[in-house]
Amino acid sequence: MPFNPYVIPVLLAALICGGLAIYAWRQRPRPGALEFSLLLLAIAIHCFGYGMELLNRELGPILFWLRIEYIGIATEPSLWIALVLQYTNRSRWLTTRNVALLAVIPLCTLIFNYTNE
């Protein structure tokens, strides 16, 4: 099969998001920087996994990269909510209990993804 031209922008997006995640990680003392860097890292993992999935043609490697991709896919919504709560000065809602509740669905999604062939 011919080379998929969508691979280049997807991997470029992964590289840009990864670089921005590193930059935001260095700004951790600022409100929302931690959540922003984790969200960008999740997006970078998602994009990188998808780009590698597009590069492969056999089912085995595609399923491997899909599992890597799902790490980002499953965590993005919860990290987005955490970032929005920080950005809108509602960080008091980000208690340990609420963060644990936000992590339940991504964790279940990853477990279901990794246990289902």
Side-chain angles (χ1 to χ4, degrees):
M1 291 187 85
F3 177 74
N4 190 336
Y6 294 111
V7 171
I8 295 170
V10 170
L11 290 178
L12 183 62
L15 183 65
I16 291 169
C17 286
L20 287 173
I22 292 169
Y23 177 76
W25 181 261
R26 293 179 181 155
Q27 308 299 318
R28 280 190 318 273
R30 295 183 180 179
L34 174 64
E35 292 81 4
F36 186 60
S37 78
L38 292 175
L39 177 62
L40 284 172
L41 179 63
I43 293 170
I45 292 169
H46 179 176
C47 289
F48 181 74
Y50 183 57
M52 296 307 290
E53 180 186 341
L54 289 175
L55 282 175
N56 288 286
R57 299 291 176 231
E58 295 178 15
L59 184 60
I62 289 174
L63 290 176
F64 171 78
W65 288 112
L66 187 63
R67 288 182 176 183
I68 299 297
E69 185 181 343
Y70 256 85
I71 295 169
I73 291 171
T75 57
E76 286 169 10
S78 295
L79 292 170
W80 181 258
I81 290 171
L83 174 63
V84 168
L85 289 174
Q86 278 285 352
Y87 188 76
T88 58
N89 293 323
R90 290 180 175 89
S91 58
R92 65 186 180 280
W93 292 6
L94 289 174
T95 63
T96 304
R97 177 184 166 268
N98 289 346
V99 170
L101 288 173
L102 277 176
V104 168
I105 292 178
L107 186 61
C108 289
T109 302
L110 289 174
I111 290 170
F112 295 153
N113 186 32
Y114 289 140
T115 59
N116 185 7
E117 291 300 322

